[in-house]
Amino acid sequence: MVGHPEDNENLTDNEGSTDGEDFLAAERDIRKRLGDRELDLDSLHAISNIYRAATAVRRRAEREVLAQHNLSWGGFTILWVLWVWGQMDTARLASECGLAKGTLTGMLTTLERRRLVEREQVKTDRRKVTVALTSDGLTLIEDLFPRFNAYEVAMSEGLSLTEKRELARLLRIVISNALQKGVRG
Amino acid sequence: MVGHPEDNENLTDNEGSTDGEDFLAAERDIRKRLGDRELDLDSLHAISNIYRAATAVRRRAEREVLAQHNLSWGGFTILWVLWVWGQMDTARLASECGLAKGTLTGMLTTLERRRLVEREQVKTDRRKVTVALTSDGLTLIEDLFPRFNAYEVAMSEGLSLTEKRELARLLRIVISNALQKGVRG
DNA sequence: CATGAATCGTTCGGTGCCAAAAGATCTCGC
DNA sequence: GCGAGATCTTTTGGCACCGAACGATTCATG
């Protein structure tokens, strides 16, 4: 048995408040509970909040912006990348979207069935396949993206311009660390 | 380096470099490609980098830290929360882990089958179930967490203490926005 | 040319994960 | 007490998503 939940308070009897505020709870007093091991709590909070923010932002976007078009976050990302960058082969598309190749295949099939994207074999190298938006896909993303961006603005509420840029900058450092190859296992 | 917008037909001829650097490519020249719509690119970069960072960090953690114990990120999170906070009912656990309740059920079953956690019906309210670490689970998380924290430190490399705290702070604002209830539909 | 190595997309097996519906239990007015 | 409604968890159905294995194609080398 770990910790003493009853020590400080009855954690379980404020059930109504599990949203919007007590997500901070998990951060409180962690040091107290963990004692003085050699832990870097600042790294912990920085990294774990990334994931927490990402799932919260994603889930809400899927509910409030994407669901009306039957798009998942991943599907939306695919359309967006193709919109901004134009057609590209699947390997690059997967990398741009942050997806495994195998994952992309299935999602492309879904999008293709809905006539939002099109696959085409590359003539000069028949191993490769390029993917492009159809006109339906173009219409959809052009209609949807401004609303998605408005959602991003809403998620950034309370951040100044400087802070948004700082947030993006700090995250880029983390991304770069995570994508770096070949650490010691 | 990737990206001259002009010759984007030939994006495919620099294939080897899809890691570690050209994740920045998607950010460059977006304005040029998108024209002058009323878009807030600072919010876009801030928010989209959150997700990009989260998946990169998660995937690598699962490969390099968690896989040797057959744990997913979600499974690890459950153990960690139970470790830090002690036993709790499933609703609260789901909220702490950022999971849907239904998701938690399945993952708890997996963890329970491996004897890492235990469910127990609450006597005073038989609808509720509390979850606690078993001694095996305790052993595992106590062994694993220091290594996980070392991984978090590695992912924060290049960030000063101040920057880590700033990153966590800015993310908390985003989390709070995303968890807020009842925006206009 | 021929053949082994490299590269590319897809297939496959298995979780993770969600939303909605179902099932179980408690509560409260009457 | 008793039934309607509120609260819990679990079940269900369906994608998303990964890693490894596979088949097809291209390329390098002799």
Side-chain angles (χ1 to χ4, degrees):
Chain A
M1 185 84 39
V2 195
H4 309 295
E6 287 84 11
D7 276 358
N8 330 13
E9 59 188 316
N10 270 349
L11 292 175
T12 46
D13 57 2
N14 59 344
E15 52 266 320
S17 66
T18 52
D19 46 282
E21 277 192 356
D22 76 348
F23 72 89
L24 288 171
E27 289 192 36
R28 269 197 302 264
D29 298 324
I30 287 186
R31 167 142 281 150
K32 200 179 294 175
R33 289 165 188 270
L34 261 41
D36 260 343
R37 304 161 201 254
E38 290 176 12
L39 300 178
D40 183 336
L41 294 186
D42 295 295
S43 296
L44 187 158
H45 288 147
I47 299 299
S48 66
N49 275 340
I50 292 174
Y51 192 72
R52 191 170 274 276
T55 52
V57 166
R58 172 183 176 150
R59 190 139 64 227
R60 184 167 186 164
E62 289 183 334
R63 270 203 318 265
E64 295 185 3
V65 185
L66 270 21
Q68 49 198 299
H69 294 285
N70 275 315
L71 278 178
S72 67
W73 179 281
F76 171 79
T77 304
I78 292 171
L79 297 184
W80 185 79
V81 167
L82 290 174
W83 185 43
V84 174
W85 284 85
Q87 66 176 15
M88 62 181 68
D89 59 272
T90 63
R92 180 177 178 79
L93 183 55
S95 148
E96 289 291 343
C97 296
L99 296 172
K101 294 183 304 176
T103 303
L104 185 64
T105 298
M107 299 180 68
L108 282 181
T109 304
T110 302
L111 292 174
E112 201 171 30
R113 207 181 308 128
R114 294 179 55 193
R115 306 267 186 266
L116 298 174
V117 304
E118 262 172 351
R119 279 188 253 228
E120 183 183 3
Q121 269 216 345
V122 174
K123 294 281 186 298
T124 60
D125 185 343
R126 297 213 307 273
R127 292 171 303 181
K128 294 187 183 175
V129 169
T130 62
V131 186
L133 287 179
T134 63
S135 67
D136 278 4
L138 180 61
T139 302
L140 176 57
I141 192 66
E142 282 188 334
D143 169 58
L144 185 52
F145 185 70
R147 268 181 293 150
F148 190 84
N149 189 238
Y151 170 78
E152 291 174 319
V153 170
M155 293 301 101
S156 317
E157 195 178 305
L159 300 181
S160 70
L161 178 59
T162 308
E163 287 173 329
K164 289 179 195 176
R165 291 183 175 160
E166 181 69 357
L167 176 55
R169 184 182 73 83
L170 298 175
L171 288 170
R172 266 179 225 115
I173 296 175
V174 174
I175 295 170
S176 167
N177 288 337
L179 260 33
Q180 211 87 263
K181 279 216 163 135
V183 241
R184 66 204 119 254
Chain B
M1 53 204 292
V2 179
H4 297 75
E6 287 71 41
D7 52 7
N8 72 0
E9 277 76 51
N10 301 353
L11 285 175
T12 49
D13 57 0
N14 57 349
E15 47 268 322
S17 65
T18 52
D19 47 283
E21 276 193 356
D22 75 349
F23 71 89
L24 288 171
E27 289 191 37
R28 270 197 297 267
D29 298 323
I30 287 186
R31 168 142 281 148
K32 202 177 296 174
R33 289 164 187 270
L34 260 41
D36 260 343
R37 304 161 202 255
E38 291 176 9
L39 300 177
D40 183 335
L41 294 185
D42 295 294
S43 296
L44 186 159
H45 289 147
I47 299 299
S48 67
N49 275 340
I50 292 174
Y51 192 73
R52 191 169 273 274
T55 51
V57 165
R58 171 181 177 154
R59 190 139 64 227
R60 183 167 187 165
E62 289 184 333
R63 272 203 318 264
E64 296 185 2
V65 185
L66 271 20
Q68 49 198 300
H69 294 285
N70 275 314
L71 279 178
S72 67
W73 178 282
F76 170 79
T77 304
I78 292 171
L79 296 184
W80 186 78
V81 167
L82 290 174
W83 185 43
V84 174
W85 284 87
Q87 66 176 12
M88 62 181 68
D89 59 271
T90 61
R92 181 175 179 79
L93 183 55
S95 148
E96 289 291 344
C97 295
L99 296 171
K101 296 182 302 178
T103 302
L104 186 63
T105 297
M107 300 181 67
L108 283 181
T109 304
T110 301
L111 292 174
E112 201 171 28
R113 206 181 309 129
R114 294 178 56 193
R115 305 266 186 267
L116 297 175
V117 304
E118 262 173 351
R119 278 188 253 227
E120 184 183 3
Q121 271 216 344
V122 173
K123 294 284 187 293
T124 59
D125 186 341
R126 296 214 307 274
R127 291 171 303 181
K128 294 188 183 175
V129 170
T130 62
V131 186
L133 287 178
T134 63
S135 67
D136 277 4
L138 180 61
T139 302
L140 176 58
I141 192 66
E142 281 189 333
D143 169 58
L144 184 53
F145 185 71
R147 269 180 295 150
F148 190 84
N149 188 238
Y151 170 78
E152 291 174 320
V153 171
M155 292 303 100
S156 316
E157 197 178 302
L159 299 182
S160 70
L161 178 58
T162 309
E163 287 173 329
K164 290 179 194 176
R165 291 183 176 160
E166 181 68 357
L167 176 55
R169 183 183 75 83
L170 297 175
L171 287 170
R172 265 180 228 115
I173 296 174
V174 175
I175 295 170
S176 166
N177 288 337
L179 260 34
Q180 211 88 264
K181 279 216 164 139
V183 241
R184 74 228 114 170

